[in-house]
Amino acid sequence: MTIEIIHTRSDGTLIHGTSKGDGAAEVLKTRDYSSGYTQPARHSRTLGCWYLPNSRDKRALKTMLEALAERLRAAGFTVTVTIREADRRTFADAEQERVERAEDRAERFAGYADNASTRSDAAWARVGRIAEGIPFGQPILVGHHSERRARRDQERMDTAARTSFAESKRAGYWSGRQQAAEAYERHRTNPGRTLRRLDKLRADLRAVEKWQHGQSAKGYRLDPTNPEVSAELTIRHDELTEEITYWEEVIAQAEANGFKVWAPQDFKRGEYARYGGTWYEVLRVNPKSVTIPHIHNGVGRKVVRATDAANGWTWTLPYHEVSGRMTADELAQKFTAAP
């Protein structure tokens, strides 16, 4: 029997050729640090094969795949390893699938929450129906012929109440999961987060371009004359370019909807930038931020001026965290009695 370990960026690492009871599962599920293979595989009924979690849209970890192959060979299997890095999907396609999966999760979790809530209500209704048959304030009459029934009713009420509470808690859990899934796209496309993400992606792209030219970046060099290294850098360059373009379009749409992307040309020294609910005097305008009085001085205040900075301490406020701008005159008119 031959087991095929196939990695592509589009599908991740898939493991074909196993069958139930052949002994491969014990190897694939085991986390083994001694051989260098540390990630257990999982089986997917949908895919009909084993797969390595979180391997999709990523470069193959060749050392780990070879270690896994050696462990399977030691168990008596014939194993082949195939890696096709150029087989990948666009970032837009990957992101769209992530959004659709989040929507599916939200719908599924909503169903779980509704079912649990229904069970909770039904259990609580049972408590009420049993209680209706018991006179108000009636104690259990020890020794009376009704004692056995009364204790049985008490136990049934207690069980139903516990079930109701447990199902209510379960409904709250799934409702929280539903809300988190529904917030996925909103969280991912938040303009402030997207701008921070773009800064990092552009820095990564600059590093890749330096490596492609044989220059040092992030503290080390790569050899662009190595065909394998060169191919990986080309793929990574394409991936980063696609992702940057995607998120730039998200920001463009946010601007069209009224979001303001602040920049150095929007500020002058002595003007005010808003962060949270506080206006801070701009002490210096930098390429990626404005220098303001130390942020802790803004706790509980509407306005923080240069003279409010304890010991002259300052803070840098990135442009993507700025939520407003005012001149000194505009601020004076708005906060004539500001602290």
Side-chain angles (χ1 to χ4, degrees):
M1 181 180 297
T2 298
I3 295 178
E4 296 179 301
I5 300 175
I6 302 174
H7 177 88
T8 63
R9 270 171 150 90
S10 58
D11 295 326
T13 301
L14 305 181
I15 304 163
H16 300 275
T18 66
S19 59
K20 188 173 182 179
D22 64 0
E26 286 69 22
V27 177
L28 294 171
K29 292 190 298 185
T30 303
R31 185 186 297 274
D32 180 33
Y33 294 98
S34 62
S35 67
Y37 171 63
T38 62
Q39 184 178 17
R42 297 178 185 173
H43 190 271
S44 168
R45 292 183 180 179
T46 302
L47 296 174
C49 66
W50 292 80
Y51 71 97
L52 291 185
N54 305 313
S55 61
R56 204 172 183 190
D57 301 314
K58 296 179 181 177
R59 176 175 58 87
L61 299 177
K62 296 181 181 180
T63 302
M64 190 175 75
L65 296 187
E66 286 296 341
L68 173 59
E70 286 302 317
R71 292 190 65 223
L72 288 167
R73 290 177 186 129
F77 297 96
T78 300
V79 184
T80 63
V81 178
T82 304
I83 297 175
R84 297 194 298 269
E85 296 287 9
D87 184 347
R88 68 181 188 87
R89 55 182 179 168
T90 66
F91 179 80
D93 288 342
E95 189 65 16
Q96 180 60 34
E97 181 182 294
R98 284 189 281 268
V99 171
E100 291 173 355
R101 290 180 64 184
E103 291 172 349
D104 290 342
R105 288 197 303 274
E107 184 176 354
R108 186 168 68 254
F109 295 157
Y112 296 163
D114 288 343
N115 292 339
S117 181
T118 299
R119 292 193 296 269
S120 176
D121 292 342
W124 191 251
R126 289 199 299 273
V127 175
R129 287 195 299 271
I130 297 171
E132 287 176 358
I134 302 174
F136 182 74
Q138 174 69 57
I140 294 177
L141 303 176
V142 179
H144 191 267
H145 66 81
S146 64
E147 179 184 1
R148 179 180 296 179
R149 178 177 178 179
R151 292 194 182 281
R152 185 171 63 249
D153 287 344
Q154 184 183 58
E155 184 176 347
R156 290 169 57 204
M157 290 173 63
D158 182 68
T159 299
R162 290 176 183 276
T163 299
S164 178
F165 296 152
E167 292 297 340
S168 178
K169 184 176 180 180
R170 187 173 289 110
Y173 168 79
W174 288 118
S175 179
R177 293 286 300 273
Q178 174 197 350
Q179 293 172 15
E182 288 175 340
Y184 173 82
E185 185 176 12
R186 188 168 62 252
H187 175 82
R188 287 279 285 175
T189 58
N190 175 273
R193 292 180 179 275
T194 302
L195 288 172
R196 290 196 295 273
R197 188 181 299 118
L198 278 169
D199 284 343
K200 180 182 183 304
L201 291 171
R202 288 167 181 153
D204 289 343
L205 181 59
R206 289 193 296 271
V208 168
E209 291 174 342
K210 286 184 177 181
W211 288 326
Q212 287 179 314
H213 290 88
Q215 300 172 3
S216 175
K218 296 188 176 182
Y220 60 95
R221 296 175 183 268
L222 294 176
D223 181 8
T225 62
N226 183 316
E228 188 174 330
V229 172
S230 177
E232 174 59 30
L233 288 175
T234 299
I235 293 172
R236 187 60 184 140
H237 188 282
D238 292 343
E239 288 177 334
L240 287 168
T241 301
E242 285 179 7
E243 190 170 356
I244 288 170
T245 300
Y246 180 91
W247 294 120
E248 285 177 340
E249 292 173 357
V250 169
I251 291 297
Q253 184 59 51
E255 288 184 291
N257 294 336
F259 177 76
K260 170 63 178 174
V261 178
W262 298 100
Q265 58 268 26
D266 294 315
F267 291 94
K268 296 179 181 178
R269 181 177 179 178
E271 293 182 338
Y272 288 80
R274 184 172 63 192
Y275 172 70
T278 303
W279 291 91
Y280 293 87
E281 184 176 350
V282 175
L283 307 179
R284 186 167 57 252
V285 178
N286 312 306
K288 294 186 178 182
S289 65
V290 289
T291 301
I292 59 175
H294 200 278
I295 210 82
H296 293 165
N297 294 318
V299 177
R301 303 173 67 108
K302 292 293 185 181
V303 179
V304 177
R305 299 178 174 82
T307 54
D308 297 322
N311 301 319
W313 290 357
T314 61
W315 197 267
T316 54
L317 176 63
Y319 291 115
H320 60 253
E321 294 186 5
V322 174
S323 58
R325 167 194 169 276
M326 279 200 295
T327 65
D329 291 340
E330 290 171 337
L331 183 118
Q333 293 175 10
K334 185 176 181 64
F335 297 106
T336 53

